[in-house]
Amino acid sequence: MRNRTMTLLIGTLFGIFTELPAFAGDVRFDDKEQFVLTEINRIRAEEGLPKLRLNNKLRQAARSHSSNMAGHSYMSHTDSFGRGLKERLGSATIERCYAGENVARNNSPDSARVAIEGWRQSPKHLKNILNEKFTDTGIGVAVNSEGLVFFTQIFLGN
């Protein structure tokens, strides 16, 4: 049963990227995305780390991945085409960087807060949030027909 459950996955990938792809479509849950960005930056500030910058290309990639997961009712760091984070980002404008990704899903009325608290309580997710090498982020949120809210946060840094 999926009611009031939350599933978290973490993936940290390190690699070389040369250009981020543009994705068609726009998932409009900017209030949830903004809440995640604000709270993640608050958590980082508590640890003396700089704020993450919102990167629109990463945001598009995160939105696309959340939409893909919601549309296929699954959660993974691999999309329905079998592509992991590195493949989904493609060649990036940043030549060499570290990359990480947090994903979550839940059906709470306060879904963004629940996702963040889950990430904060998970050592592997928190490691991404507090990684001092990460400077940029993109956040995407999508809701499926069953009311499950899917979150993707991608991190990049040098």
Side-chain angles (χ1 to χ4, degrees), residues 117-129:
E117 285 307 312
W119 290 338
R120 193 170 193 178
Q121 292 172 18
S122 164
K124 290 181 179 180
H125 289 90
L126 188 59
K127 183 177 178 180
N128 271 345
I129 293 167

Side-chain angles (χ1 to χ4, degrees), residues 19-58:
E19 183 182 328
L20 290 174
F23 291 96
D26 193 28
V27 182
R28 299 238 181 236
F29 287 93
D30 292 339
D31 57 331
K32 289 180 183 358
E33 293 169 358
Q34 183 60 53
F35 182 83
V36 170
L37 179 63
T38 299
E39 287 300 300
I40 295 299
N41 279 332
R42 186 183 59 76
I43 293 166
R44 288 175 61 87
E46 289 172 1
E47 299 297 322
L49 295 169
K51 291 180 178 182
L52 296 170
R53 292 182 304 244
L54 184 61
N55 178 306
N56 283 327
K57 289 185 179 183
L58 293 179

